[in-house]
Amino acid sequence: MDRVYNFSAGPATLPTAVLEQAQAELLNWHGTGMSVMEVSHRGKDFVELAAHSERTLRNLLAVPENYRVLFLQGGATLQFAGVPLNLAGPSATADYVVTGNWGSKASVEAGRYLKVNVAADAKDTKYTTIPDPASWTVSDDAAYLHYTPNETIYGVEFHAVPEVSAAPLVVDMSSTILSRPVDVSRFGVIYAGAQKNIGPAGLAIVIVRDDLLDRARPETPSVVNYRVMADSDSMSNTPPTLAWYLAALVFDWLTEQGGLSAMAERNKRKASKLYAAIDASNFYQNPVVPAHRSWMNIPFTLADAELDGAFLQEAAAGEFANLKGHRSVGGMRASLYNAMPEAGVDALIEFMAEFERRRG
Ligand code: PMP
């Protein structure tokens, strides 16, 4: 069976080599005579897998010693609540920078637990840019400042870490983690849902600086309590073992690809090609200010929205899946995560040019 180029924003395409390995060892993992889903998470084989996975991820991201890496459940969305519950009491204030839907959702959820100050909101630009950090209204006493380095729906991305607040920076890296090197030491907490650059949906990675492990409110559920999960190697309850296993295979694959510097080069090249093709045409358009365009999610519209249906139909009849844009933006969106091969981007660009010639 032929695989298609899957441009989904998430759950997203995974490396074929990873899926093949998972398939090959599904019935008999590591000579256990069982699948990885059927072994005890406390057994030697699985504990080794978990340790290897964490080590590999730490190497990829060059995570400093004074940070803990947690593998949690509930996707990124549970962390929208986990962040305020772990970091501050109900009378505290936290700054939120809203550059799209996800930052907005995070701020609304946090508002149930503490005082949220929306330090900036790019809504009036239809989320096509990142407001200049100098214009943000940060609080003097914020428990933390939260932002979303890459907004998956609008395709708008921070290309530098903002320096506006002394408060710890907390970031939702769901749609950009592992796409390039980052300086982890700039952040208090990094969290990410796994279904874009890591593995199956439901798993969330949380990287927490040690000094932020012990601020949780007593009522914080233990499965999202940083200290509880750090002390139990993220096994205070039964972990989603299949998701951990697949994430470990993806981390190994990334290492084989040359790590995050190699991924950054490849990702930048893939995105630049597609933006160049869009910008060179009068038929396709991307609304995001060039300095803040995402490498990962590229929304684009056709000059005539009446042709959207035909575009998607022909794309799907070919080898391209999931190019439909998010319902709040319309048009198309191509997500170019790590596992999207450059050949997929080349083929898409060719298809777009050919569609424009016939229908533009
Ligand atoms: N944050 C961002 C940036 C996202 O893209 C998504 C999912 N698309 C979420 C949070 C929500 O993640 P989950 O569905 O895993 O809770």
Side-chain angles (χ1 to χ4, degrees):
M1 195 194 79
D2 287 337
R3 277 174 62 79
V4 295
Y5 291 123
N6 174 9
F7 292 92
S8 170
T13 188
L14 286 168
T16 304
V18 164
L19 297 175
E20 282 169 347
Q21 184 175 344
Q23 182 183 46
E25 55 192 23
L26 185 65
L27 295 184
N28 182 0
W29 177 65
H30 274 199
T32 58
M34 296 171 269
S35 81
V36 70
M37 280 174 282
E38 301 165 298
V39 302
S40 166
H41 60 294
R42 309 268 179 217
K44 179 172 151 291
D45 291 296
F46 195 82
V47 168
E48 269 172 18
L49 165 103
H52 169 78
S53 178
E54 181 182 337
R55 255 195 327 272
T56 316
L57 177 60
R58 294 187 85 102
N59 281 339
L60 284 167
L61 276 169
V63 177
E65 285 292 311
N66 62 322
Y67 283 75
R68 297 301 299 261
V69 175
L70 312 178
F71 292 77
L72 306 187
Q73 305 191 44
T77 301
L78 184 56
Q79 298 310 314
F80 291 170
V83 165
L85 284 168
N86 274 283
L87 297 185
S91 59
T93 299
D95 289 337
Y96 276 74
V97 176
V98 177
T99 53
N101 290 44
W102 295 109
S104 173
K105 286 195 170 165
S107 73
V108 169
E109 185 76 357
R112 304 176 60 205
Y113 300 103
L114 43 59
K115 291 190 198 122
V116 165
N117 167 50
V118 176
D121 189 331
K123 192 171 186 178
D124 60 356
T125 73
K126 298 205 172 109
Y127 298 116
T128 55
T129 191
I130 305 278
D132 179 358
S135 71
W136 299 358
T137 52
V138 296
S139 323
D140 293 335
D141 56 347
Y144 59 88
L145 182 141
H146 180 284
Y147 72 98
T148 313
N150 184 70
E151 280 284 353
T152 321
I153 292 175
Y154 293 95
V156 56
E157 178 156 12
F158 284 78
H159 289 288
V161 179
E163 292 181 56
V164 288
S165 170
L169 295 178
V170 176
V171 283
D172 171 5
M173 280 200 187
S174 295
S175 49
T176 186
I177 194 163
L178 298 173
S179 66
R180 73 207 73 181
V182 291
D183 180 356
V184 172
S185 72
R186 303 287 298 275
F187 303 100
V189 178
I190 294 172
Y191 66 93
Q195 68 271 37
K196 296 130 187 339
N197 268 334
I198 296 171
L203 174 67
I205 304 290
V206 182
I207 303 173
V208 195
R209 207 173 59 210
D210 283 347
D211 61 294
L212 300 174
L213 284 170
D214 293 308
R215 299 189 185 181
R217 299 180 199 183
E219 68 269 29
T220 307
S222 56
V223 291
V224 76
N225 180 308
Y226 299 160
R227 167 54 72 191
V228 171
M229 293 311 265
D231 283 352
S232 60
D233 293 326
S234 305
M235 290 199 201
S236 106
N237 69 326
T238 315
T241 48
L242 182 65
W244 283 32
Y245 158 77
L246 286 162
L249 294 187
V250 170
F251 301 152
D252 285 340
W253 178 81
L254 284 170
T255 307
E256 282 159 23
Q257 300 299 302
L260 301 193
S261 304
M263 293 322 297
E265 251 175 62
R266 195 188 294 182
N267 287 327
K268 186 175 183 186
R269 202 166 55 232
K270 289 181 331 196
S272 303
K273 276 185 189 179
L274 183 51
Y275 284 120
I278 290 169
D279 289 346
S281 115
N282 291 322
F283 184 70
Y284 300 106
Q285 208 240 335
N286 167 277
V288 179
V289 170
H292 301 301
R293 283 174 166 179
S294 168
W295 292 1
M296 298 281 99
N297 311 99
I298 304 185
F300 61 92
T301 51
L302 312 191
D304 178 2
E306 296 272 308
L307 291 173
D308 284 6
F311 181 94
L312 288 168
Q313 209 171 11
E314 290 187 25
E319 50 189 346
F320 311 104
N322 292 317
L323 281 167
K324 192 170 171 28
H326 190 270
R327 58 192 179 280
S328 63
V329 178
M332 313 300 152
R333 174 175 47 171
S335 294
L336 312 183
Y337 299 120
N338 285 336
M340 171 55 62
E342 197 161 344
V345 181
D346 293 339
L348 174 63
I349 291 170
E350 206 173 299
F351 166 76
M352 287 168 66
E354 198 263 329
F355 185 87
E356 179 181 353
R357 270 196 300 278
R358 272 188 296 108
R359 311 292 295 263

